[in-house]
Structures are given as C-alpha cells and as structure tokens.
Amino acid sequence: MKLYFRYFSIHLKSLMQYKASFLLLTVGQFITSFSAFLGIYFLMSRFHTVNGFALHEVLLFFAVTLMAFSLAECFARGFDVFPSMLGNGEFDRILLRPIHPVFQVIASKMEFSRVGRLLQAVLTFALAIGGGEVQWRWDKILLLVLMIFSGAVFFAALFVVGASFSFFSTEGLEVMNIFTDGGREFGRYPLSVYGKEMLRFYTFIVPMALFQYYPMLYILGRSENPWLCAAPLGILVFLLPVSLVWKLGVRHYRSTGS
C-alpha cells in the first residue's frame, strides 16, 4: 500500500502542474453526468414512475452506478488504456520488474478528473435521500457502501477483460464499451426495467445486477430477504474467470520488439 500511495502522490503532483486543465476536465465530467441526470428528471416528471419505481428510487440506482463507475475509471484507468502499453513495448518493462503486473498497470494511470462524475453522483444521492422515504439503518448504510465498492470492483474487472483481449487483438476491442460505458448507461435505471431476459443476463453473465439491483430492493424496503445483502459479494466469483482470462492473455503475449 505504501508503494501505491507513492504512485498516487506522483500522479497527483503531476496533475497539479496544470491546475486549470484539471479544473476544466473535472467540470466537463460533471456537466456530462449532469445531462444524464436531467434526462432522468424530465422522463420521471412526465411518467412519474418507471416499472413501479419513483424518482427518488431511480436516482438511488443512478447514483450508486455512477459512483462505482467513477471510482473504477479513476483508479483502474490503466487497464482501459492498456493497448497502448502493448503497442509501445511498455508492457515488456512491466514484466521485468519484481512487482505484479496487475499492480503496475493499475498504478500507471489515475484519472482524477473523474472526481467531477463522483461529485455528481454524491449530489444525486443526497437529492434522492432528501426526497425519499427510505428508513436508513446501520445495516442499510453498510450495504450501500458495499454496493459502491463492489460496483467499482466490477467495472474495474470489465476493464481487465478488455485489456486481456488486447493480448490477442493488439488493439482494444470497442465491443467492450457495450459493457463498460453501456453498463453505466443501463445502470441509470433499475435493471428490471429492461425485461426479464436482460435482468438474467446482468445477473449470471455480466453480474451488474448483483450490486445495482438486488441489494437496492432491500434498501428500498421492496424485499425483506436478508440474502439480498450478500448479493454484492457475488462479484468476487466474477473475478475468478476474469483472472483466468488475464493469465491466459499474459501467457499469449509476444513482445512487439519496440
């Protein structure tokens, strides 16, 4: 952890050399997320409920997903730009160092401008709490923290999968954006809105529903099943095939010679 915080400090100091640029990027990220919020607000002001969920409930789904995605983009951005490491031969140097490659890729890039999205998520969450009737107890607060953390791990894992495919294709696969950026967009609303088949897909194939949908049902009081509180832990199971894909990609890797 000491080494990671050293990397953190280096990236932050480097970014602060261009404070105006950082501020503008952060504001840009905030405005982009704010437009998504406006889309939800105007839709709900017209239809009032979506699949039985009111505005403040939909905003909770949106805030949790956006918060998780923002954290993943901020601290796991290295995997999102991983194809460039393969193309310029930087991954050769990573393999020669006595530190695990995953750690080095994670620490290689941090996007602090994603704080703009994170701020939007926090404000949305505060608005949802103020306009809702959720009875917040200590167990629901802890569950919410677990949802956000497991969601960040989930999106980071998707970045790892995209990076792993780069070992075979050299260039990044745009199809992965369906699950990363697309997952963020889907997460604006409860996943049940998209139908039973999509809910099954996001439960058993790409398990976003484990941190976004099922535990939220418990928080909103729509289910008293205590097992829903353990749903975010299912993301740990998702990490097993992700790690296998990464290891397979590393074994397949051939140096570019750059």
Side-chain angles (χ1 to χ4, degrees), residues 33 59-77 111 114-115 117-122 124-125 143-159 179-181 183-185 187-188 207-213 215-216 232 235:
S33 300
L59 290 181
L60 280 176
F61 286 100
F62 172 65
V64 168
T65 304
L66 184 60
M67 213 174 292
F69 186 83
S70 301
L71 290 173
E73 263 206 322
C74 184
F75 297 106
R77 183 68 171 173
E111 287 285 357
R114 267 49 182 184
V115 171
R117 282 181 180 170
L118 187 61
L119 177 60
Q120 174 64 52
V122 172
T124 301
F125 181 70
L143 177 57
L144 182 67
V145 174
L146 178 61
M147 290 168 62
I148 296 170
F149 177 76
S150 61
V153 172
F154 165 78
F155 283 115
L158 290 182
F159 291 148
F179 304 107
T180 52
D181 294 329
R184 181 195 65 207
E185 297 303 310
R188 292 183 184 181
M208 186 169 71
L210 296 184
F211 81 87
Q212 192 259 15
Y213 179 69
M216 189 63 78
I235 300 299

Side-chain angles (χ1 to χ4, degrees), residues 11-26 113:
H11 284 298
L12 187 59
K13 289 180 180 178
S14 175
L15 190 63
M16 288 298 102
Q17 298 302 311
Y18 305 94
K19 296 182 179 63
S21 175
F22 168 69
L23 179 61
L24 291 174
L25 285 172
T26 302
S113 63

Side-chain angles (χ1 to χ4, degrees), residues 25-40:
L25 285 172
T26 302
V27 171
Q29 292 293 327
F30 180 89
I31 293 174
T32 301
S33 300
F34 186 67
S35 64
F37 166 80
L38 288 179
I40 295 174

Side-chain angles (χ1 to χ4, degrees), residues 10-240:
I10 291 172
H11 284 298
L12 187 59
K13 289 180 180 178
S14 175
L15 190 63
M16 288 298 102
Q17 298 302 311
Y18 305 94
K19 296 182 179 63
S21 175
F22 168 69
L23 179 61
L24 291 174
L25 285 172
T26 302
V27 171
Q29 292 293 327
F30 180 89
I31 293 174
T32 301
S33 300
F34 186 67
S35 64
F37 166 80
L38 288 179
I40 295 174
Y41 179 79
F42 288 127
L43 176 69
M44 298 301 294
S45 64
R46 176 65 177 84
F47 296 101
H48 305 297
T49 63
V50 175
N51 199 35
F53 292 92
L55 174 61
H56 72 275
E57 295 174 317
V58 172
L59 290 181
L60 280 176
F61 286 100
F62 172 65
V64 168
T65 304
L66 184 60
M67 213 174 292
F69 186 83
S70 301
L71 290 173
E73 263 206 322
C74 184
F75 297 106
R77 183 68 171 173
F79 286 107
D80 200 27
V81 297
F82 184 73
S84 64
M85 291 186 178
L86 298 181
N88 61 23
E90 185 178 349
F91 192 66
D92 292 355
R93 294 194 297 270
I94 287 178
L95 291 177
L96 292 174
R97 295 167 184 162
I99 304 175
H100 199 284
V102 171
F103 173 85
Q104 295 187 65
V105 175
I106 288 177
S108 66
K109 189 173 182 62
M110 299 179 190
E111 287 285 357
F112 295 107
S113 63
R114 267 49 182 184
V115 171
R117 282 181 180 170
L118 187 61
L119 177 60
Q120 174 64 52
V122 172
L123 293 177
T124 301
F125 181 70
L127 181 62
I129 292 178
E133 299 178 356
V134 178
Q135 300 296 320
W136 290 100
R137 306 187 304 265
W138 66 269
D139 59 331
K140 292 186 177 182
I141 294 174
L142 290 178
L143 177 57
L144 182 67
V145 174
L146 178 61
M147 290 168 62
I148 296 170
F149 177 76
S150 61
V153 172
F154 165 78
F155 283 115
L158 290 182
F159 291 148
V160 174
V161 172
S164 301
F165 286 149
S166 300
F167 286 113
F168 305 95
S169 62
T170 306
E171 296 294 332
L173 298 179
E174 292 298 323
V175 69
M176 284 305 301
N177 291 333
I178 297 175
F179 304 107
T180 52
D181 294 329
R184 181 195 65 207
E185 297 303 310
F186 273 115
R188 292 183 184 181
Y189 302 95
L191 291 176
S192 60
V193 168
Y194 306 108
K196 292 182 179 179
E197 294 302 321
M198 287 298 293
L199 182 58
R200 291 192 187 101
F201 177 82
Y202 278 108
T203 300
F204 301 106
I205 307 300
V206 182
M208 186 169 71
L210 296 184
F211 81 87
Q212 192 259 15
Y213 179 69
Y214 296 113
M216 189 63 78
L217 294 180
Y218 181 84
I219 288 179
L220 296 176
R222 291 175 174 265
S223 175
E224 296 298 328
N225 186 354
W227 287 105
L228 294 180
C229 299
L233 297 178
I235 300 299
L236 297 177
V237 179
F238 180 59
L239 295 181
L240 296 178

